Amino acid sequence: MPPPTLLLYFEDESALAFKLADAASLALACVERHVFPDGEIKLRLPASLPSRVVVLRSLHHPNAKLVELLLSARTAHALGAEHLTLVAPYMAYMRQDVAFAPGEAVSQKIIGRHLADLFDAVITVDPHLHRVSTLQEAVPAKQAIALTAAPLLADFVHSQCANALLIGPDEESEQWITAAARQHGLDHGVCRKTRHGDRQVDIRLPDVKVTDRNVVLLDDIASSGHTLAQAARLLLQAGARRVDVAVTHALFSQDALEVVRSAGVGRIWSTDGVPHTSNSVSIAPLVAEALRRL
Ligand code: R5P
């Protein structure tokens, strides 16, 4: 019998870690984490490690976590790990994929390279890839696997809301809307979005009849919440009976939940890739299957 693969997790992500360990038959150990008064982090891993180690760390609030990944990956190697996989359900720093103005850091390239230097394999879910077409281009690890939660969200939406009209709030959501709608033969449409700032977006509804429909807005990320809020407002003004929301990554920064709710949104659902009160769908089986394929 080969020694079991060990899943290393951090306490704030224990809910998904337990489900993933169960679904993928992995041994499990928590990384002890101490934060000094000045903000430095000290980590402690199990003193001896098997040759294959998986680190679970979703990269919402990414800055401190990138340091955690640096410390844990280098320490895991020093303690005997030979093959390291990062499972980062939410992959941060993917938006800035070009320098939009002279002198801007191309964060996607820099962070992607950094992670590829630390890990042999990287698995993520619905990464925000816009101008590059594969995760491998953004994170050039030996194996870079991008999974999609759209079919899982589609199953859940279908179980909660009969005959939902699926709407994507912007052009980029088309890929997830198409995959999700196909799964259950649902009506669907995609809005056009113009972003004017972090919290200012203009949205144009698609040419789809929404009157008296139960609409579900489906997207990869809710961050400030303004994209979903603006789309929901327009849908309700156009006569939608109700608007619910399903997202892969429930970042919901600062007052985002309030922003979305005050736009008239009813139910809010998300996957457990980012821990949040809206978590309704587990990505554990999806990630477990990808780990088996490695
Ligand atoms: C962007 O294109 C993404 O798909 C999301 O729509 C966006 O990140 C949501 O951001 P916010 O919640 O801040 O409007």
Side-chain angles (χ1 to χ4, degrees):
M1 277 266 285
T5 300
L6 180 67
L7 175 64
L8 289 176
Y9 70 99
F10 292 74
E11 203 182 355
D12 56 311
E13 289 174 48
S14 50
L16 177 57
F18 292 151
K19 285 185 188 159
L20 182 56
D22 190 42
S25 307
L26 303 175
L28 195 58
C30 187
V31 177
E32 282 177 35
R33 181 175 176 277
H34 175 77
V35 182
F36 292 101
D38 58 12
E40 271 185 21
I41 304 162
K42 180 176 75 172
L43 300 182
R44 184 170 176 213
L45 280 60
S48 101
L49 294 175
S51 62
R52 292 181 78 90
V53 170
V54 177
V55 178
L56 172 67
R57 204 59 176 140
S58 206
L59 291 173
H60 50 292
H61 306 304
N63 299 342
K65 289 180 181 175
L66 288 168
V67 177
E68 289 172 5
L69 291 181
L70 173 66
L71 298 177
S72 33
R74 297 277 184 238
T75 309
H77 273 305
L79 293 169
E82 286 162 19
H83 184 280
L84 278 182
T85 300
L86 169 64
V87 173
Y90 174 63
M91 179 59 71
Y93 283 107
M94 291 292 109
R95 291 187 185 105
Q96 182 80 17
D97 53 6
V98 291
F100 296 94
E104 277 183 0
V106 183
S107 321
Q108 184 190 77
K109 223 179 182 52
I110 298 165
I111 299 296
R113 180 75 259 169
H114 173 64
L115 295 175
D117 286 344
L118 295 176
F119 293 92
D120 301 283
V122 173
I123 298 175
T124 189
V125 182
D126 292 332
H128 194 86
L129 302 177
H130 186 28
R131 274 158 287 261
V132 301
S133 50
T134 64
L135 181 65
Q136 187 83 41
E137 292 168 66
V139 184
K142 282 185 210 112
Q143 287 172 293
I145 301 176
L147 305 170
T148 179
L152 291 175
L153 287 171
D155 285 346
F156 185 79
V157 165
H158 188 62
S159 74
Q160 300 294 311
C161 187
N163 201 22
L165 168 63
L166 285 187
I167 296 288
D170 55 27
E171 297 85 337
E172 288 162 21
S173 60
E174 183 151 18
Q175 52 187 307
W176 302 296
I177 290 290
T178 313
R182 192 185 313 122
Q183 184 110 338
H184 292 286
L186 298 174
D187 294 338
H188 58 285
V190 173
C191 303
R192 306 282 146 211
K193 178 169 85 178
T194 311
R195 185 175 279 286
H196 301 290
D198 290 344
R199 291 160 187 274
Q200 289 89 34
V201 292
D202 277 337
I203 285 182
R204 196 155 47 82
L205 292 184
D207 193 12
V208 177
K209 193 165 170 286
V210 302
T211 318
D212 288 332
R213 295 297 306 263
N214 295 325
V215 178
V216 176
L217 277 167
L218 186 78
D219 205 3
D220 57 340
I221 304 166
S223 177
S224 73
H226 283 275
T227 297
L228 293 173
Q230 184 59 10
R233 248 181 244 115
L234 293 174
L235 288 161
L236 290 167
Q237 280 164 15
R241 185 183 300 139
R242 61 175 299 139
V243 177
D244 299 316
V245 154
V247 292
T248 303
H249 304 299
L251 303 185
F252 289 107
S253 318
Q254 292 128 29
D255 63 348
L257 211 45
E258 187 43 39
V259 167
V260 173
R261 288 215 184 283
S262 64
V265 166
R267 296 169 291 184
I268 300 176
W269 302 304
S270 63
T271 77
D272 57 359
V274 174
H276 189 259
T277 50
S278 60
N279 289 170
S280 320
V281 175
S282 183
I283 57 166
L286 184 72
V287 176
E289 175 54 30
L291 284 170
R292 274 192 286 273
R293 287 203 314 263
L294 280 183

